C-alpha cells in the first residue's frame, strides 16, 4: 500500500524532536522551580512579617515573658518562705487547743474545755483565732472543723453552721462528718427541713459503713417526725439491705415498722 504525504508537510527530523522534548522538560523544571520559589517566597514573607511583629512589639513580648517568670518565681517563693512557715506556725499554735478539745470529748468539764479550745489558753490561740489568722493553711482550715464541733457541743448552733460551712477537705469521711454536723446543728436549732437537706448531702459524699448508715438513720428519723413515712422507710430500708452489719442496723427493724 502506498503512503502519501500531504502537500507542504515535512516529517520532523530526529534532532528537532529531541529539541522539543528538551524544551518541554526544561519548562517542567522551570514550573516546578517556580512553584518551589513561590513557597519559599511565601515563607520568607511570613517570616518577615513575624520579624516585623516581634520588632514592633518586642517590649510587650519581653514584658509578658518576664511577668510570667516573676509570677512563677513569686509563687514558688511564697510557698517556701511564707506558706510553709505559716503552716508550721499555725500547727504549733493549735496544739494546746487540740488538747483541750480532746479532753472535752472525754467528758471532763467539757463545756469549759470546749470554750478554751475556741478562745485559747496558755498563751496560745484558740480555734477561732487560728481559723482567722491562718486562713489559707491546712491548720486554719482544720480549725474551722474543730470550732464548728466545739460550737455545736456548747449550744451555739448558728456559729457551728458558719464554721463548718467554711471547712473543706478531700477526706471523704471527714467531709461527710462535717456536713452531717451541720445537719445536727440545724436539727438542734429546730430547723428540720434544713437538717434533712444536710443529712442527705452527708449521705451523698461517700458510701461507707461508718458515716452512711449514721446519717441515713438521722435522715429517716427526721422524715418520720415530719410525717413523711415513705422517705423514712426508704432510708431505714437502705440501712437494713446495704449496711446490715453496722450498729444502726440492730435497731432499724423497729423503725421500719413505724414507717410502714
Amino acid at each position: 500500500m502506498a503512503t502519501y504525504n500531504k502537500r507542504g508537510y515535512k516529517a520532523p527530523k530526529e534532532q528537532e524532536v529531541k529539541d522539543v522534548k528538551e524544551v518541554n522538560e526544561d519548562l517542567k523544571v522551570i514550573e516546578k522551580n517556580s512553584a518551589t520559589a513561590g513557597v519559599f517566597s511565601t515563607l520568607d514573607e511570613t517570616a518577615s512579617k513575624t520579624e516585623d511583629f516581634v520588632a514592633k512589639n518586642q517590649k510587650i513580648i519581653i514584658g509578658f515573658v518576664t511577668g510570667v517568670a516573676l509570677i512563677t518565681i513569686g509563687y514558688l517563693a511564697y510557698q517556701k518562705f511564707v506558706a510553709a512557715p505559716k503552716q508550721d506556725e499555725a500547727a504549733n499554735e493549735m496544739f494546746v487547743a487540740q488538747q483541750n478539745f480532746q479532753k472535752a470529748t472525754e467528758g471532763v468539764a467539757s463545756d469549759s474545755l470546749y470554750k478554751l479550745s475556741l478562745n485559747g489558753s496558755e498563751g496560745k490561740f484558740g480555734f477561732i483565732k487560728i481559723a482567722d489568722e491562718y486562713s489559707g493553711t491546712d491548720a486554719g482550715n482544720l480549725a474551722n472543723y474543730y470550732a464548728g464541733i466545739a460550737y455545736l457541743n456548747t449550744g451555739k448552733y448558728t456559729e457551728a453552721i458558719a464554721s463548718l460551712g467554711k471547712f473543706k477537705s478531700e477526706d471523704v469521711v471527714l467531709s461527710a462528718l462535717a456536713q452531717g454536723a451541720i445537719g445536727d446543728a440545724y436539727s438542734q436549732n429546730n430547723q428540720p427541713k434544713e437538717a434533712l437537706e444536710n443529712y442527705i448531702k452527708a449521705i451523698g459524699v461517700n458510701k461507707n459503713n461508718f458515716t452512711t448508715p449514721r446519717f441515713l438513720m438521722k435522715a429517716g428519723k427526721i422524715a418520720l417526725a415530719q410525717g413523711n413515712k415513705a422517705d423514712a422507710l426508704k432510708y431505714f430500708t437502705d440501712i437494713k439491705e446495704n449496711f446490715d452489719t453496722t450498729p444502726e442496723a440492730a435497731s432499724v427493724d423497729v423503725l421500719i415498722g413505724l414507717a410502714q
Side-chain angles (χ1 to χ4, degrees), residues 9 18 26 39 48 76 83 102 144 158 165 173 177 196 221 237:
Y9 172 79
K18 288 182 179 179
D26 289 342
V39 172
S48 178
L76 294 174
Q102 182 61 39
N144 284 311
T158 301
V173 172
L177 288 173
L196 182 57
K221 287 180 177 179
T237 303

Side-chain angles (χ1 to χ4, degrees), residues 3-17:
T3 302
Y4 299 94
N5 289 329
K6 292 182 179 179
R7 185 175 296 175
Y9 172 79
K10 293 182 179 180
K13 295 180 180 179
E14 184 179 351
Q15 185 60 41
E16 288 176 348
V17 172

Side-chain angles (χ1 to χ4, degrees), residues 11-27:
K13 295 180 180 179
E14 184 179 351
Q15 185 60 41
E16 288 176 348
V17 172
K18 288 182 179 179
D19 289 344
V20 171
K21 287 182 179 180
E22 288 176 0
V23 169
N24 289 335
E25 291 297 325
D26 289 342
L27 286 173

